[in-house]
Structure formats: C-alpha cells, structure tokens
Amino acid sequence: MDSKQAPVVECSKYTKRVMLKTLLGLSDGGVGLIGQRVVIGGWVKSSREIRKQPVTPHSVPAQVVSTKDVTCSEVLQSRIPLLRSIMKVFGAGEYRVREKINVVFQPQPSVSILQVSDGSCVPSLQVLVDSALATPCQVMATGTCVLIEGMLQQPSLQGKHVVELQAEKILHLGLVDQSNYLLSKKRLPLESLRDCSHFRPRTTTVASVMRIHNALTWATHGFFQDQGFLHVQVPILTSTDSEGFSEKFVVTTLLNKGKNYDQISSTENAGVSVEAIWASIKEKSKKVEELNRTNSNKEALFAAQQDLKKTQELVSQLESRQKANSGVTIETRKFDFSKDFFVRQTYLTVSGRLHLESQACGLGNVYSFGPRFQAVKSESKKSLAETWMVDVEMAFSELEDAMECANDFLKFVCKRISEGYMEDLQFILKRIDQKVMERLQLTLSSSFERISYAEAIEVLRQVPGKRFQGKIEFGVSLTEEHESYLVDEIYKKPVIIYNHPKGLRPFYVHLNDDGMTVATFDVVLPKVGTVIRGSQSEERFNVLSSRASDIVLSRSMFFVIRMEVLGLQKQQYEWYLDLRRHGSVKTSGFSLMLEPLVLYATGLNDVKDVVPFPRSFGRANN
C-alpha cells in the first residue's frame, strides 16, 4: 500500500524550537503537520479560559488529622470542666466518638487558550494549556513568555485556526506584572509606544513593519550584489564635512576634562530648547482637549495625558538646570581640539559619498550601508537625528547612469516586497493603509517621469488657482508641498527631478555647461517625497582647485572659492583633491534614505515608527 510520507517540521538550529513561520507559513497552514510533537516559544498576545464539565465532589477519608463530630452536650463538657465532672457523676459522660467525613472540593478544571506569537509572522498559534499543567493565572496574562512542548492537532474549537498545539510540557515561563506592563492595554496608539521602544516589537503592527524593514535591507544587498557591486564600509567618525552646509554632531572628549567643563549646561549640550518643549506642551494640551471633547477611547486619552505630564516634568527640570548653571553654554567655551582625542575637530558623518568615491576610484562599483547623522532641530515626521543610508558610487559613469541605477533599484526592492511579504502587506492593507499595494504596483509598472528643476518650477507656476505656501522661483529649494503636488496631482507617479541650481547642492558635484546648474537628481515618490538624492561628481581638477576672476562667466565653480564661501577648511579635503590629481575618473552615485522607503512600503506617516530605536530632536530614550 502506497502511503504518503508526512512532512517533517524543522527546528531552529540554535534554539531547538520551531519558529511559527515554519508552521503557519506553509500553504496548508500547518495541517499536514498534525500529529507531530514540537517545541514552540513566544509571547502571549491574548487569551481566554474555558471551564471543563463540573466535577462531583468526592469523599476522602481523613488520613492525617481526624476531627470529631460531637453533640452539644459534648461541646459543653469539653469547654466547661466543672459541668463535665457533674455530668459524669450523673452518668451522662459516656459518649460515642464518631469520625467526621471530610468533603474536599477540587478547583474546577479548565483550559487556557493562548494566542502565541514569536515575531516571525503575522498569525499567532493557538495553544491549549490544561489547568493541571499550569494555572490560568500563570499563563494567560498578555506578554507572558512561554516555551511549550506539545502535539499539533486539529482545532478543538471553531474559529479561524486550522491547527493548534495541545501543550504537554511547559519548559519555560516568563511572568508579567500586568499593572506595570504597557502592552497589557488594548490598541495603544503608535505615538505612546515610542517611549517604550524595547517593547514595541511585540505588537503586531511594529513586528510587520520590522519584517518589511528587514526585507528592504536584504533586497538592497541583493540588488547591488547581483549587479556586481562591492560592499565597503565608510567611517562614522570623520574630520570631513561631506555636504559642506549640514548641521553636524561634534565628537569630543574635552567635556570630561576639568571642573569648568562640568558646569556646562546639560540642556545646551543635549541640544534641547526649552522654548521648543513649551511649544510641544501647547500642542500636546490641544490633543488632550480634543480627545476629551470627542469622547475618544480611554486608552488614547490616558496615553496623551501621560505624555503631556512627562513633557511638563521635563521642561521644569530643564528650567531649573538653566538657572543653576547661570547661562554657561558650550558656545561661550573655546576648545583646543589639538588636545582632543583625534587632535582635530571630528564629526559623526552626514554622508558616505566622498569616502565611497575613493573606493570607487580603485574598485569600480561600490556601495555602503550604515548610519548617518544630522543635528537638525526639527520635529518633522520625516526627520531623524540618526538615519540609515545606502550610498552608491560607480566609476566611469555619468548622471544618466546613476538615474537609471536608482530607477532599477527602486523597482527591484518594491518587487521583492510585493512578492515575498504578502502576509504582512495584507495586514497593513487591513490595519494601516489601503493604498499600499497600489503604490508598490505603480512603482513597478510605471516609467518614472524625468523633468529638470527648471521645468518643475515652470510647471508649478502654471498650476491654475493653486497657491503654494513656499516660493516658486529659480534658486529656491522645492518644498515637500511642491514635490507632493508634482507626484500626486500632476504626474501621478514617481518623478525624477534633475539639474538643480549649484547653490542648493554640495560642493563636489559636477558643474553643468550653463554655469548655473549642477548634475544632480532627486527621486520623489508619492506619499513620502524624496527618497534618493544623487549626482555626478566633478572630475576636473582645474574646476575644483583653480581660482578665476569671474566665476559667473566661467563654466567653472572653483573648489577653493566654494570652500571659502562655505567656511570649509581646505586641508581637510586635500585627500579628496588627490583623487583628481592622480588618475581622475568620472563617477556618479546616489544616497537612499531607508526610513522614508519603509514609510512608502508600510503606509505609516512618521519615521519614528519604522526604526527600532528612534533618535530625533529632544529624544533619545534608551
């Protein structure tokens, strides 16, 4: 008789447990594995208890302690010695001792039905735990960590599950203090979860976002590795200001030396403005009033009130510190960086493009993936102090090549997400954004519109009856409002804007023949705006290093002059000039900001909700 062999479920090599994605991610949802014994681990997301049939009390003979059932007279005799003696004289003292029958009532048996998730997939596994194995109060609390061995079986209760686990052994139990565990509350808004980043991944929404974040990361590596790029690491600590006009974090050890430095206001050192916090308090107060007025759910109101309370406490502490420090700030202090750890002024890097270019000049096509830092005092939903960026540099290439590469890259990662993470996308469609699939398909199917900066300005000027808040004139940066109108209203698809005015872009970009614009481009996506900024680097040594009496009529924007205008120190860039002195080559590339791309693929509105530990103006909680 030909029997079909049942599939064998594989354990994780290093934890000796089965990941739920291995079970529930199968085409049949795990039905083919019924009858197999497995070990699963995870956290309880929700639970309920079902009582078994009532058990009839049963008689148990007393074994350790016998109690006596006595009459009223026997009680009196035992309590009143004199009365007992009198009754004995009259012959009433003889009494029969009878054994009492103990009636022991056992707790009514029940079954705890747990929905357990381990973060590997959207669905949870239904686990049945008999009260004889663990009491309901031990396992049912939301957030309880369990490691359970049991048998996979058909669901005993009608519902959405096609397979469940009947627990046989509990190998680990991590209890939860429900009164202090934030996630024990139902449906917490994402804003309130930002103050407890260490617990956020246990929520279904954040777990899905992190899986998509991971998918975009590996799709990035996959694309460039497939195209023959080398992955190289660029420094996080650098003495070079890569952009020339960016707000940077200064790295120093001098603050730890000497008593005077200890007096520096911690408020200024942290970059926190009391005025900004008061403005935040005003906004938070409005939010609390609105929630009160609209009779919103209690959880959201409570979270908003707690957030307001913490902010009020913070501003009180900062004001006290400012008074105590008598206005001493870092700005009034002069540092001798020659005595610092790195001898010269050092920053956290803003971009890896310059360092990556040196690698491209010897290795060809290269890319880097790592953290970048900007000390921009902004509370924008798209602004972070610490971001992750993909930097790309290609030797022997021009602007058109970089634009083509950026186009192909975005289509590749959107395809990878659409095909490999449908379960997470379906959850996002249901809970977060109903247009997420539409956007991804639009990126895959459409050809990106390519327009010059000058053409974009002209198109926006000719929009009838529309008044933009920002100026629309040559030489002024396009705002988020302008970009959004171009992609959402005019072209209704991704747009590449190229050839920006030279005053808006870094010093190292290639100057175009018109002497007014440089070879740069931005890729603007619907909903999130600019996700990629790219350029062709200036390869001509004389343009970078020579001076000219008339830089307006000349086709050259001279490096030294531009450095003087931007306040840059020439000696810090000698290594970069060396690339032009010795074997100069045309290079082009771009930088992709990963967080806005995650927003694009998840439908969320704030980058603070798509990174594990967000660092933004005024916030670095752990």
Side-chain angles (χ1 to χ4, degrees), residues 110-217:
S110 63
V111 175
S112 300
I113 302 177
L114 315 178
Q115 305 303 324
V116 177
S117 173
D118 65 359
S120 63
C121 58
V122 172
S124 55
L125 178 65
Q126 184 164 283
V127 179
L128 275 56
V129 181
D130 196 279
S131 57
L133 194 62
T135 60
C137 63
Q138 288 180 303
V139 296
M140 287 182 60
T142 300
T144 300
C145 179
V146 294
L147 185 66
I148 293 176
E149 180 180 340
M151 185 78 71
L152 293 171
Q153 63 183 25
Q154 291 183 348
S156 53
L157 300 171
Q158 197 171 15
K160 62 181 181 180
H161 298 278
V162 296
V163 65
E164 68 183 15
L165 182 72
Q166 177 64 56
E168 296 177 350
K169 293 180 183 177
I170 295 183
L171 306 176
H172 173 77
L173 198 59
L175 303 181
V176 167
D177 180 359
Q178 285 291 89
S179 60
N180 293 317
Y181 184 58
L182 181 66
L183 300 187
S184 61
K185 303 176 180 67
K186 300 295 183 183
R187 293 290 183 127
L188 285 171
L190 289 172
E191 293 84 355
S192 63
L193 290 173
R194 293 174 194 159
D195 291 327
C196 62
S197 300
H198 48 301
F199 284 138
R200 289 198 304 174
R202 299 187 188 183
T203 64
T204 306
T205 298
V206 175
S208 283
V209 171
M210 289 300 107
R211 285 190 291 270
I212 289 178
H213 194 292
N214 169 74
L216 289 170
T217 298

Side-chain angles (χ1 to χ4, degrees), residues 353 399 402 505 509 519-522 532-536 589-591:
R353 288 284 307 279
L399 184 68
R505 293 302 152 112
V509 295
T520 60
F521 72 94
D522 292 347
I532 287 179
R533 296 190 189 279
S535 65
Q536 178 182 336
F590 57 84
S591 294

Side-chain angles (χ1 to χ4, degrees), residues 321-354:
R321 289 179 186 174
Q322 281 187 335
K323 292 178 182 178
N325 289 320
S326 304
V328 178
T329 65
I330 287 179
E331 284 74 19
T332 63
R333 188 80 57 188
K334 292 184 179 180
F335 293 101
D336 182 359
F337 286 103
S338 65
K339 298 179 181 179
D340 204 352
F341 186 91
F342 288 114
V343 183
R344 64 173 57 181
Q345 192 164 350
T346 307
Y347 317 98
L348 295 180
T349 187
V350 174
S351 170
R353 288 284 307 279
L354 290 188

